[in-house]
Each structure stands twice: as C-alpha cells, then as structure tokens.
Amino acid sequence: MRFADQHIVVTGGTRGIGRAVSLAFLAEGGHVHATYRGNAEAAEALREAAGPHSERLHLDAFDAADHEAAAAFWDRLEDTPISVLVANSGIRRDGILATMSPEDWDSVLRANLTGGYVMAKFAVKNMMRQRYGRILFTTSPAGRFGFEGQGNYSASKAGQVGLMRSLCKEVAKRKITVNCVSPGFIATELLDDLPDALRDEYRKSVPAKRFGTPEEVASAVLYLASAEAAYITGATLDITGGL
C-alpha cells in the first residue's frame, strides 16, 4: 500500500497503459482521478474492473489539452493535494509527411504534447504548495528513433522528453521529480489497427521476441512515482524488451 491516502491523476487513464496504471495505483491504496476524452464505455469498464477499490476511483471526462477544461478539473480538486500526475493520454494519426494533413499533424501534437504541458502546468502549482510531487510523461522510442509514417507522433514524443528535461530543473528544489517512461511495443489497442504482417515484423524486431504488457509498464510507473525514487529526475526509462 505504497500510495495509501495519496491522490493520483492519470490522463488517458481508462484504456490501454493508462487503465493498467490506474488499476495498479488503486491496488496500492491510492485515490485515482482517471481522465478520458469521451469513451464512457471504457470508463465504466474500468470502474467494474476496479472492484472493491472503485470507491477510490474518480472518473473525469474532458480534453486534457483544453486549457479551460483542464483548469476547471483542477479547480474541482480544490485543496486536494495531488502526489502524482501521469500524463499518459495520446493518439496516433499515421501517414507519410508528404501527404499528411495539417489536421493530422495538429491533432497529434495537441493531444500528446500540449496535453502534457497543460496538465503538468496545473499539477506543478498544486505540488509546489505541498513541496512534493511526481510527474511522469508517457513518451515512446519513436521520439528517439523515428518510425516511417509517424512524423507527427515522433515529433510529439520527442517534445515530451524535452519538456520533461526542462521542467525537472525548474521544480527539483521543491522535491518534485519529473521523468518519462518510454514503452516500446505494448499489447494495447494502439497496435490493434496495424496489419498482421506489420505486427509480426515489429514483434520479431524486439530482442525479447514478444510485446510488453500494460501491467509491466505500470510497474515501472509505480516505482518512479514512489517515495523511493526521490533522487531520480530528468530520466527516461525504456520499457522496450531490448529495442
């Protein structure tokens, strides 16, 4: 029960990696505020999966990249001390750059990078009052290696690392750490829309010869969010099976 009585915000917290992170914090005694943009069915499925922990689960529907909507969310928290923010929400709109629409570029940068900035901005203000906090961004190896057809996604993920590196220096004296987790190929719905042949190619490229699980990512998140990780800040933890 490492997070008993702590309040944790997880954006994109009802599906995929975010769902596993939310459930992991609940299992460790935390009060989880899981945000989602609009999939109410997935949100209710998370509440059901939380079982006896559901009384500590708070579901909030809004766009994390919308500054006004995010401000209203943090206002609703009022004086609740937030110990952890996991900025996990994100989307993909793949396509080669030469034919990528401005809408696909803007939507991915907005969801993945601007959403992280917006939520971290308000989290820092909350955490500075208590002189404690953990902020984590879910980035991707795409930000370092780049993948064909993912110029927008790769740019947004590289931007998250740059944001993390700057922010960690601004808040370190307030005992707030800022880090990234960088999952590789994880078995979530983000891989479901890929052709079977491409999924097989990706799986073969992993030295571990398998995709990771959301629960394996959640374990890493919990460690970086714990009190034991107080001297880890400005770091990116790869969870890639050896990529």
Side-chain angles (χ1 to χ4, degrees):
M1 305 297 283
R2 287 176 291 172
F3 296 92
D5 299 324
Q6 293 188 30
H7 286 259
I8 299 100
V9 174
V10 184
T11 69
T14 62
R15 296 196 299 166
I17 290 173
R19 181 180 189 272
V21 169
S22 294
L23 290 172
F25 276 115
L26 288 169
E28 291 277 1
H31 296 259
V32 174
H33 304 261
T35 83
Y36 63 102
R37 187 170 180 178
N39 191 330
E41 183 178 346
E44 287 308 312
L46 172 63
R47 186 184 299 280
E48 183 175 343
H53 304 310
S54 61
E55 63 183 14
R56 289 183 277 105
L57 174 64
H58 312 275
L59 297 169
D60 293 275
F62 68 97
D63 181 355
D66 184 326
H67 195 279
E68 291 186 3
F73 165 76
W74 287 92
D75 284 345
R76 289 194 296 274
L77 292 176
E78 295 180 345
D79 296 327
T80 301
I82 300 301
S83 298
V84 183
L85 166 67
V86 182
N88 171 76
S89 57
I91 62 171
R92 280 189 12 241
R93 297 286 185 271
D94 294 352
I96 61 173
L97 196 68
T99 60
M100 183 178 292
S101 69
E103 291 76 19
D104 283 350
W105 174 269
D106 290 341
S107 63
V108 170
L109 269 291
R110 183 177 185 277
N112 299 358
L113 183 55
T114 301
Y117 143 72
V118 169
M119 292 299 287
K121 172 183 176 178
F122 290 108
V124 164
K125 292 180 179 180
N126 181 292
M127 294 172 179
M128 286 178 72
R129 292 196 296 268
Q130 54 187 315
R131 298 186 68 85
Y132 179 86
R134 302 282 186 265
I135 296 174
L136 292 105
F137 298 98
T138 305
T139 185
S140 166
R144 183 156 47 110
F145 299 124
F147 293 117
E148 183 179 355
Q150 292 188 343
N152 49 2
Y153 185 76
S154 297
S156 70
K157 294 302 179 179
Q160 286 179 324
V161 176
L163 172 61
M164 175 272 291
R165 292 290 298 160
S166 293
L167 181 57
C168 76
K169 293 174 172 61
E170 296 176 3
V171 299
K173 290 182 179 179
R174 297 297 184 100
K175 299 182 180 179
I176 301 170
T177 66
V178 190
N179 295 290
C180 286
V181 292
S182 182
F185 296 115
I186 306 299
T188 70
E189 63 273 7
L190 280 178
L191 294 181
D192 290 343
D193 61 348
L194 296 176
D196 290 342
L198 186 56
R199 279 205 305 273
D200 288 342
E201 181 181 337
Y202 284 159
R203 187 180 294 106
K204 291 175 183 177
S205 72
V206 179
K209 301 305 178 187
R210 67 175 178 87
F211 293 148
T213 68
E215 291 74 21
E216 287 171 319
V217 180
S219 294
V221 169
L222 260 64
Y223 172 67
L224 289 175
S226 70
E228 290 81 5
Y231 202 58
I232 302 174
T233 192
T236 298
L237 177 57
D238 289 339
I239 311 163
T240 64
L243 280 177

